[in-house]
Structure formats: C-alpha cells, structure tokens
Amino acid sequence: MSAGSETQLSHILSSLDDDKAEDIVQIDLRGKSPMGDYMIICSGRSSRQVAAIAEKLTARLKRDLNVFSKIEGKDAGDWVLIDTGDIIVHVFRPEVREFYQLEKMWLPNAQAASSPS
C-alpha cells in the first residue's frame, strides 16, 4: 500500500529542506487538475545540486514510504520533474525556473506576484 498524498507531501518538503532546496513553493491542485494533488516547485543552485536533490528525494520516497517515482531530466540537471502519482515536483536551476515561470500558471494572481522568481 502506498503512502497518501499528505504523507508524501510532508516527506517531500522535509527532503527538499534537508538538501537545501531554495524558494520552495507548494501548490494545491486538488479540485483544479486531475494530474495530482500537489505540485512543488523549488530551485537548486547548480545542475549538480538539482540532480542530487532529485536523486535523494526519489531514493527517500522509495526507502521510507515505498513510493516509486518517475523522474525526467536528471541527466541535464536544468529542470528535473519527479512524479509520484499524487505529487509532481519540479526542481529547477534558477535561470530555467525564471524562464518557464510555472508558478504564474498555477498560483492565483496575488500569490504568483509574491512568489520568488
């Protein structure tokens, strides 16, 4: 049995914090999109850190919660997407995050204006 989205969310946020991810934004997708319950967007300072954050996160989810994740983009390290089924995590280099501005697509106007860029 897989861990629920709230348990996964708590574990993901803890892992990102442990690995010094920056500008972590949590977006509640429940009732807004069938793709998942939450989206997390964060940044790493370099391609190496982005890849390491993603790698450690997927390993911890598997080890601690028996959650297997799909991961895309780890080799390039510019933008890594991790999909647990319930939660989608985007880990960006800051320049790439600024270019795509996912927060502006998913957050209400007031929140998007105040979120880090």
Side-chain angles (χ1 to χ4, degrees):
M1 182 161 185
S2 184
S5 61
E6 298 298 324
T7 302
Q8 288 181 42
L9 177 64
S10 174
H11 208 73
I12 289 167
L13 292 173
S14 177
S15 179
L16 295 175
D17 187 56
D18 288 349
D19 292 330
K20 309 287 188 262
E22 298 177 343
D23 301 327
I24 300 168
V25 175
Q26 171 185 325
I27 303 168
D28 189 341
L29 298 177
R30 296 172 294 179
K32 297 176 189 162
S33 174
M35 80 169 106
D37 291 340
Y38 296 98
M39 181 184 300
I40 307 295
I41 303 171
C42 66
S43 299
R45 291 179 303 278
S46 66
S47 295
R48 181 177 286 189
Q49 186 188 23
V50 167
I53 288 169
E55 197 170 286
K56 288 179 181 181
L57 175 59
T58 56
R60 287 176 182 137
L61 287 169
K62 181 179 176 184
R63 180 192 70 210
D64 300 340
L65 302 177
N66 200 31
V67 170
F68 293 84
S69 307
K70 296 175 188 159
I71 187 167
E72 297 287 335
K74 188 178 74 149
D75 293 338
D78 289 331
W79 175 3
V80 180
L81 182 138
I82 301 138
D83 185 354
T84 72
D86 292 326
I87 300 177
I88 299 146
V89 181
H90 298 274
V91 186
F92 287 101
R93 276 190 316 103
E95 303 82 18
V96 179
R97 182 176 181 175
E98 176 64 27
F99 180 80
Y100 286 102
Q101 299 185 6
L102 288 185
E103 290 97 330
K104 288 188 179 181
M105 261 192 274
W106 289 99
L107 286 173
N109 290 338
Q111 283 183 296
S114 65
S115 70
S117 32

